[in-house]
Amino acid sequence: MKRSLLPTAAAALALTLLAGCDQKTETVDSRAPDPMASQLANAAPVELPPAVKATSTFRCKDNTLVYVDFFAGDKLANLRTEKGGTATALKAEKAGDPLTAEGYSLTGTPKTITLTRPGKPAQSCKA
């Protein structure tokens, strides 16, 4: 009779252990809540700047070099008068209009432009 009691006790112990494994665990997060979470959730969507469409180096009629980054959408270009110099952002209300900034005006394509700079007349420039 002792032999039949041992397998029954082992089976009861195994069932007890398996029943304990079915318990669900709770995840504890010790990080502090984000104080700006509600502001970020209610923030307006961010509009990314346009991608650079083309970068060109131009030689103008007066033998100067200018560097222009043309952006997608044809409403923005960055003009530099020195390689690696500070850029002047030229903008247009709609695609096809001249790109302008105070004293500057630019029309054209990445191959050829017409540029007006402060104190200088309009001149054509070629890439």
Side-chain angles (χ1 to χ4, degrees):
M1 196 150 168
K2 285 187 177 183
R3 288 185 183 201
S4 65
L5 186 61
L6 188 58
T8 306
L13 180 62
L15 285 173
T16 305
L17 290 174
L18 287 175
C21 290
D22 193 30
Q23 294 177 353
K24 295 187 180 191
T25 60
E26 184 180 324
T27 303
V28 177
D29 188 359
S30 62
R31 295 177 291 173
D34 186 357
M36 294 186 66
S38 64
Q39 291 174 357
L40 293 172
N42 296 327
V46 176
E47 184 178 335
L48 296 175
V52 174
K53 181 171 75 172
T55 298
S56 299
T57 301
F58 295 95
R59 181 161 305 270
C60 297
K61 287 268 186 187
D62 67 356
N63 210 28
T64 59
L65 291 175
V66 292
Y67 308 89
V68 181
D69 298 323
F70 293 92
F71 290 87
D74 300 326
K75 296 191 291 185
L76 177 66
N78 282 340
L79 171 73
R80 291 179 180 79
T81 56
E82 297 177 6
K83 190 170 187 168
T86 303
T88 301
L90 306 173
K91 298 177 182 179
E93 287 295 317
K94 59 184 178 181
D97 286 353
L99 301 164
T100 60
E102 191 172 329
Y104 292 90
S105 177
L106 182 142
T107 57
T109 67
K111 300 273 185 210
T112 182
I113 61 171
T114 300
L115 176 65
T116 303
R117 291 186 271 180
K120 297 186 178 184
Q123 60 181 327
S124 63
C125 308
K126 293 182 181 178

